[in-house]
Amino acid sequence: MPIYGEGGENATYYFPGVSNNLPFLSNPSIEDYMALVTSKQDGDFELYTIRADGSDLLQLTYNEVTDYQPRWSPQGNQIAFIREEGTSQQAVVMKQNGAEQRVLIESGVIRMDWVTESQLLVGVAQGEVVLVNTTTGSMPSLIEGIEEWGSLSPTLTHFAYWVHPQEKVRELWVMNIATQTSVQICTQC
């Protein structure tokens, strides 16, 4: 399978017929970069891993529904992804080899990102953000009413997000994930 793009830690690779937004795992215990990809090779979107040189394609999910937005955990031991079954978007976690798939949230999942090896920041319907403990299943609500998902800081300690309290008013907020406190950065920015 040919690969297009430049190498390196922050590389983006393009696999024919596969999404161009590829999350990568760069882990000292793994010799080559391993990409998580979504592909429709069997008729519906499934998750695969593949080495950066195009070798070792491994299908991780096998089902009749759509699996997408895969994310490596910080240490590369787990993968979180969204499973769309009918009108339900579920948060699912599995081991890096596809084993032990567990549904953490049954419906309404919009987006998610890892914070620690056992914590997922998950955006759900109606603008709520929850912090899911993938070991215990607990999920305290952190934020309600966000309008746009922002991003995590490179250190995975802070989360930026947008709120629109009124028409044509846009506020940028940053939350410290450990203390679960948010600070407004600007209005109309």
Side-chain angles (χ1 to χ4, degrees):
M1 176 181 289
I3 299 173
Y4 305 95
E6 302 267 329
E9 188 169 351
N10 297 315
T12 299
Y13 292 89
Y14 299 94
F15 297 85
V18 179
S19 168
N20 290 339
N21 298 321
L22 303 176
F24 277 83
L25 172 67
S26 174
N27 186 320
S29 66
I30 296 176
E31 287 184 21
D32 296 321
Y33 291 102
M34 186 66 74
L36 266 174
V37 295
T38 302
S39 179
K40 208 173 180 181
Q41 290 185 357
D42 72 351
D44 61 276
F45 286 101
E46 302 291 353
L47 302 182
Y48 297 80
T49 56
I50 188 169
R51 293 210 178 277
D53 66 2
S55 66
D56 297 332
L57 179 67
L58 175 65
Q59 187 170 350
L60 302 175
T61 59
Y62 298 84
N63 52 49
E64 305 277 323
V65 297
T66 299
D67 296 326
Y68 62 99
Q69 284 190 21
R71 302 284 186 262
W72 290 109
S73 64
Q75 294 176 0
N77 297 320
Q78 300 179 85
I79 299 168
F81 62 96
I82 296 175
R83 173 168 288 154
E84 188 170 306
E85 196 163 352
T87 58
S88 175
Q89 292 82 28
Q90 303 171 333
V92 182
V93 174
M94 65 183 170
K95 288 191 173 188
Q96 68 181 12
N97 63 0
E100 299 181 28
Q101 294 182 22
R102 295 177 289 129
V103 175
L104 299 174
I105 298 177
E106 290 289 336
S107 65
V109 176
I110 298 167
R111 182 159 173 194
M112 59 188 157
D113 287 304
W114 288 95
V115 177
T116 68
E117 191 65 20
S118 65
Q119 290 182 312
L120 269 172
L121 194 62
V122 180
V124 293
Q126 289 79 44
E128 183 180 10
V129 175
V130 296
L131 187 63
V132 180
N133 183 310
T134 60
T135 305
T136 66
S138 69
M139 40 183 159
S141 179
L142 298 181
I143 309 166
E144 292 184 11
I146 73 166
E147 300 289 333
E148 294 176 47
W149 188 270
S151 64
L152 283 167
S153 65
T155 58
L156 306 178
T157 57
H158 291 79
F159 173 66
Y161 59 96
W162 294 97
V163 174
H164 303 274
Q166 312 167 12
E167 189 175 331
K168 298 186 180 185
V169 175
R170 185 175 163 157
E171 299 173 353
L172 176 63
W173 290 75
V174 174
M175 179 184 62
N176 178 316
I177 296 170
T179 64
Q180 300 180 11
T181 57
S182 293
V183 175
Q184 183 177 346
I185 302 301
C186 62
T187 302
Q188 298 296 72
C189 39

